[in-house]
Amino acid sequence: MTENWAAVSKAINERVTELGWKQRELAERSHVSQAIVREIQHHTVERKRSARTLEALSLALGWHPGHLNAILRGRKPLAPGETGDEPLDQIISRLGTIEDRLDTISEQLASLTANVAALMRDRRDRGE
């Protein structure tokens, strides 16, 4: 299996730029030494890295834990929360949509409750 460390380097560099981070910040957030981060970012030393290193970098960058490993192996990375199991991912996505709708309904209900309370106060103050 071919490993594409240049693609890993490119992905990391693009994301670090997008986040406005310095190399040191990525090292601190991922708990990976700055020397290793530098080697991977600049693609200066191509050697096998532990799965934990790529996972830590992926998580620090806000990606799915297997994101950089997928890029390394030429696969499409999973989005955060995806499992790679299509039916399960569809269920998770639908649950997320339901959760968003419930949040909207809750906000609307709170607004309606506040409006009714204000109307009741106005009626009481007018002696109705």
Coordinates of all heavy atoms in Angstrom, one line a residue, residues 3-5 7-9 11-12 26 30-32 36-37 40-41 47-73 75:
E3 N 1.9 5.1 0.6 CA 1.6 6.1 1.6 C 1.9 7.4 0.9 O 3.0 7.6 0.3 CB 2.4 5.9 2.8 CG 2.0 4.7 3.6 CD 2.8 4.5 4.9 OE1 3.9 5.0 5.0 OE2 2.2 3.8 5.8
N4 N 1.0 8.4 1.0 CA 1.2 9.7 0.4 C 1.4 10.8 1.5 O 0.5 11.5 1.9 CB 0.0 10.1 -0.4 CG 0.2 11.3 -1.3 OD1 1.2 12.0 -1.1 ND2 -0.6 11.5 -2.2
W5 N 2.7 10.9 2.0 CA 3.0 11.8 3.0 C 2.9 13.3 2.5 O 2.7 14.2 3.3 CB 4.4 11.5 3.6 CG 4.3 10.3 4.5 CD1 4.7 9.1 4.2 CD2 3.8 10.3 5.8 NE1 4.5 8.2 5.2 CE2 3.9 9.0 6.3 CE3 3.3 11.2 6.7 CZ2 3.5 8.6 7.5 CZ3 2.9 10.8 7.9 CH2 3.0 9.5 8.4
A7 N 0.6 14.4 0.6 CA -0.8 14.8 0.8 C -1.1 15.1 2.2 O -1.9 16.0 2.5 CB -1.7 13.7 0.2
V8 N -0.5 14.4 3.1 CA -0.7 14.6 4.6 C -0.2 16.0 4.9 O -0.8 16.8 5.6 CB 0.0 13.5 5.4 CG1 0.0 13.9 6.9 CG2 -0.7 12.2 5.2
S9 N 1.0 16.3 4.4 CA 1.7 17.6 4.6 C 0.8 18.7 4.1 O 0.6 19.7 4.8 CB 3.0 17.6 3.9 OG 3.6 18.9 4.0
A11 N -2.5 18.7 3.5 CA -3.7 18.8 4.3 C -3.5 19.6 5.6 O -4.2 20.5 6.0 CB -4.3 17.4 4.6
I12 N -2.4 19.2 6.3 CA -2.1 19.9 7.5 C -1.8 21.4 7.3 O -2.3 22.2 8.0 CB -0.9 19.2 8.2 CG1 -1.3 17.8 8.8 CG2 -0.3 20.1 9.4 CD1 -0.1 17.0 9.3
L26 N 0.0 24.0 16.9 CA -0.5 22.6 16.5 C 0.2 21.6 17.4 O -0.4 20.7 17.9 CB -0.2 22.4 15.1 CG -0.5 20.9 14.6 CD1 -2.0 20.6 14.9 CD2 -0.2 20.8 13.1
S30 N -1.9 19.2 20.0 CA -1.9 17.8 19.6 C -1.1 16.9 20.6 O -1.2 15.7 20.6 CB -1.4 17.6 18.2 OG -0.1 17.9 18.1
H31 N -0.2 17.6 21.4 CA 0.7 16.9 22.2 C 1.7 16.1 21.4 O 2.1 15.0 21.9 CB 0.0 16.1 23.3 CG -0.9 16.9 24.2 ND1 -0.5 17.8 25.1 CD2 -2.3 16.9 24.2 CE1 -1.5 18.3 25.7 NE2 -2.6 17.9 25.1
V32 N 2.0 16.5 20.3 CA 3.0 15.9 19.4 C 4.2 16.9 19.4 O 4.0 18.1 19.3 CB 2.5 15.7 18.0 CG1 3.6 15.2 17.0 CG2 1.3 14.7 18.0
I36 N 8.5 16.7 15.3 CA 7.7 15.8 14.5 C 6.7 16.5 13.6 O 6.6 16.2 12.4 CB 7.1 14.7 15.3 CG1 8.1 13.8 15.9 CG2 6.0 13.9 14.5 CD1 7.6 12.7 16.9
V37 N 6.1 17.5 14.2 CA 5.1 18.3 13.5 C 5.8 19.0 12.3 O 5.3 19.0 11.1 CB 4.4 19.4 14.3 CG1 3.6 20.4 13.5 CG2 3.5 18.7 15.4
I40 N 6.6 16.5 9.5 CA 5.4 16.1 8.7 C 4.9 17.3 7.9 O 4.6 17.1 6.7 CB 4.3 15.6 9.7 CG1 4.7 14.3 10.4 CG2 3.0 15.4 8.9 CD1 3.8 13.8 11.5
Q41 N 4.9 18.4 8.5 CA 4.4 19.6 7.7 C 5.3 19.9 6.5 O 4.8 20.3 5.5 CB 4.4 20.9 8.7 CG 3.1 21.2 9.2 CD 3.1 22.5 9.9 OE1 3.7 22.8 10.8 NE2 2.3 23.4 9.3
R47 N 8.9 8.7 7.1 CA 9.0 7.5 7.8 C 7.7 7.1 8.5 O 6.8 8.0 8.6 CB 10.1 7.6 8.9 CG 9.8 8.5 10.0 CD 10.9 8.5 11.0 NE 11.2 9.9 11.4 CZ 12.1 10.3 12.2 NH1 12.8 9.4 12.8 NH2 12.3 11.6 12.4
K48 N 7.6 5.9 8.9 CA 6.3 5.4 9.5 C 6.1 6.2 10.8 O 7.1 6.3 11.6 CB 6.4 3.9 9.7 CG 5.2 3.3 10.3 CD 5.2 1.8 10.1 CE 3.9 1.2 10.7 NZ 2.7 1.5 10.0
R49 N 4.9 6.7 11.0 CA 4.6 7.3 12.2 C 3.5 6.5 12.9 O 2.8 5.7 12.3 CB 3.9 8.7 11.9 CG 4.8 9.6 11.1 CD 5.9 10.2 12.0 NE 6.8 11.0 11.1 CZ 7.8 11.6 11.6 NH1 8.2 11.4 12.8 NH2 8.6 12.4 10.8
S50 N 3.4 6.7 14.2 CA 2.4 5.9 14.9 C 1.0 6.4 14.6 O 0.8 7.5 14.2 CB 2.6 6.0 16.5 OG 2.2 7.2 16.9
A51 N 0.1 5.5 14.6 CA -1.3 5.8 14.4 C -1.8 6.9 15.4 O -2.5 7.8 15.0 CB -2.2 4.6 14.5
R52 N -1.2 6.9 16.6 CA -1.6 7.8 17.6 C -1.1 9.3 17.2 O -1.8 10.2 17.5 CB -0.9 7.4 18.9 CG -1.4 8.2 20.1 CD -0.4 9.2 20.6 NE -0.6 10.2 21.6 CZ -0.9 11.4 21.4 NH1 -1.2 11.9 20.2 NH2 -0.9 12.3 22.3
T53 N 0.0 9.4 16.5 CA 0.5 10.7 16.1 C -0.5 11.3 15.1 O -0.9 12.5 15.2 CB 1.9 10.6 15.5 OG1 2.8 10.1 16.5 CG2 2.4 11.9 14.9
L54 N -0.8 10.6 14.1 CA -1.8 11.1 13.1 C -3.1 11.3 13.7 O -3.8 12.3 13.3 CB -1.9 10.1 11.9 CG -0.6 9.9 11.1 CD1 -0.8 8.9 9.9 CD2 -0.1 11.3 10.5
E55 N -3.6 10.5 14.6 CA -4.9 10.7 15.2 C -4.8 12.0 16.1 O -5.8 12.8 16.0 CB -5.2 9.5 16.1 CG -6.5 9.6 16.8 CD -6.9 8.4 17.7 OE1 -6.7 7.3 17.2 OE2 -7.3 8.6 18.8
A56 N -3.8 12.2 16.8 CA -3.7 13.4 17.7 C -3.7 14.6 16.8 O -4.3 15.6 17.2 CB -2.4 13.3 18.5
L57 N -2.9 14.6 15.7 CA -2.9 15.8 14.8 C -4.3 16.0 14.2 O -4.8 17.1 14.1 CB -1.9 15.6 13.7 CG -0.4 15.6 14.2 CD1 0.5 15.2 13.1 CD2 0.0 17.0 14.7
S58 N -5.0 14.9 13.8 CA -6.3 15.0 13.2 C -7.3 15.7 14.2 O -8.0 16.6 13.9 CB -6.8 13.7 12.8 OG -6.1 13.1 11.7
L59 N -7.3 15.2 15.4 CA -8.2 15.7 16.4 C -7.9 17.2 16.8 O -8.8 18.0 16.9 CB -8.1 14.8 17.7 CG -8.8 13.4 17.6 CD1 -8.4 12.6 18.8 CD2 -10.2 13.5 17.3
A60 N -6.6 17.5 16.9 CA -6.2 18.9 17.2 C -6.7 19.8 16.1 O -7.1 21.0 16.3 CB -4.7 19.0 17.4
L61 N -6.7 19.3 14.8 CA -7.1 20.1 13.7 C -8.7 20.1 13.5 O -9.2 20.8 12.6 CB -6.4 19.7 12.4 CG -4.9 19.9 12.4 CD1 -4.2 19.1 11.3 CD2 -4.6 21.4 12.3
G62 N -9.4 19.5 14.4 CA -10.8 19.5 14.3 C -11.4 18.5 13.3 O -12.5 18.6 12.9
W63 N -10.7 17.5 13.0 CA -11.1 16.4 12.1 C -11.4 15.1 12.8 O -11.2 15.0 13.9 CB -10.0 16.2 11.1 CG -9.7 17.3 10.1 CD1 -10.6 18.2 9.6 CD2 -8.5 17.6 9.5 NE1 -10.0 19.0 8.7 CE2 -8.7 18.6 8.6 CE3 -7.2 17.0 9.5 CZ2 -7.6 19.2 7.8 CZ3 -6.2 17.6 8.8 CH2 -6.4 18.6 7.9
H64 N -12.0 14.2 12.0 CA -12.3 12.9 12.5 C -10.9 12.3 12.8 O -9.9 12.6 12.2 CB -12.9 12.1 11.3 CG -13.3 10.7 11.7 ND1 -12.3 9.6 11.7 CD2 -14.4 10.1 12.0 CE1 -13.0 8.5 12.0 NE2 -14.2 8.8 12.3
P65 N -10.9 11.4 13.9 CA -9.6 10.8 14.3 C -8.8 10.1 13.2 O -7.6 10.1 13.2 CB -10.0 9.9 15.4 CG -11.3 10.3 15.9 CD -12.0 11.0 14.7
G66 N -9.5 9.6 12.3 CA -8.8 8.8 11.2 C -8.5 9.7 9.9 O -8.1 9.1 8.9
H67 N -8.7 11.0 10.0 CA -8.7 11.8 8.8 C -7.3 11.8 8.1 O -7.2 11.5 6.9 CB -9.0 13.3 9.2 CG -9.1 14.2 8.1 ND1 -10.4 14.6 7.6 CD2 -8.2 14.9 7.3 CE1 -10.2 15.4 6.6 NE2 -8.9 15.6 6.4
L68 N -6.2 12.0 8.9 CA -4.9 12.0 8.2 C -4.5 10.6 7.8 O -3.8 10.5 6.8 CB -3.9 12.7 9.2 CG -4.0 14.2 9.3 CD1 -3.1 14.7 10.4 CD2 -3.8 14.9 8.0
N69 N -4.9 9.6 8.5 CA -4.5 8.3 8.1 C -5.2 7.9 6.8 O -4.6 7.3 5.9 CB -4.9 7.3 9.2 CG -4.3 5.9 9.0 OD1 -3.2 5.8 8.5 ND2 -5.1 4.9 9.4
A70 N -6.5 8.4 6.6 CA -7.2 8.2 5.4 C -6.5 8.9 4.2 O -6.3 8.3 3.1 CB -8.6 8.6 5.5
I71 N -6.1 10.1 4.4 CA -5.3 10.9 3.4 C -4.0 10.2 3.1 O -3.7 10.0 1.9 CB -5.1 12.3 3.9 CG1 -6.4 13.1 3.9 CG2 -4.0 13.0 3.0 CD1 -6.3 14.5 4.5
L72 N -3.3 9.7 4.1 CA -2.1 9.0 3.9 C -2.2 7.8 3.0 O -1.4 7.5 2.1 CB -1.5 8.5 5.2 CG -0.2 7.7 5.2 CD1 0.9 8.6 4.7 CD2 0.1 7.2 6.6
R73 N -3.3 7.1 3.1 CA -3.6 5.9 2.4 C -4.4 6.1 1.1 O -4.8 5.2 0.4 CB -4.3 4.9 3.2 CG -3.4 4.6 4.5 CD -3.7 3.4 5.2 NE -3.0 3.2 6.4 CZ -1.6 3.2 6.6 NH1 -0.9 3.4 5.6 NH2 -1.1 3.1 7.8
R75 N -7.4 7.5 0.8 CA -8.9 7.3 0.9 C -9.6 8.6 1.3 O -8.9 9.5 1.7 CB -9.2 6.2 2.0 CG -8.6 4.8 1.7 CD -9.2 3.8 2.7 NE -8.9 4.1 4.1 CZ -8.0 3.6 4.9 NH1 -7.2 2.7 4.4 NH2 -7.8 4.0 6.1

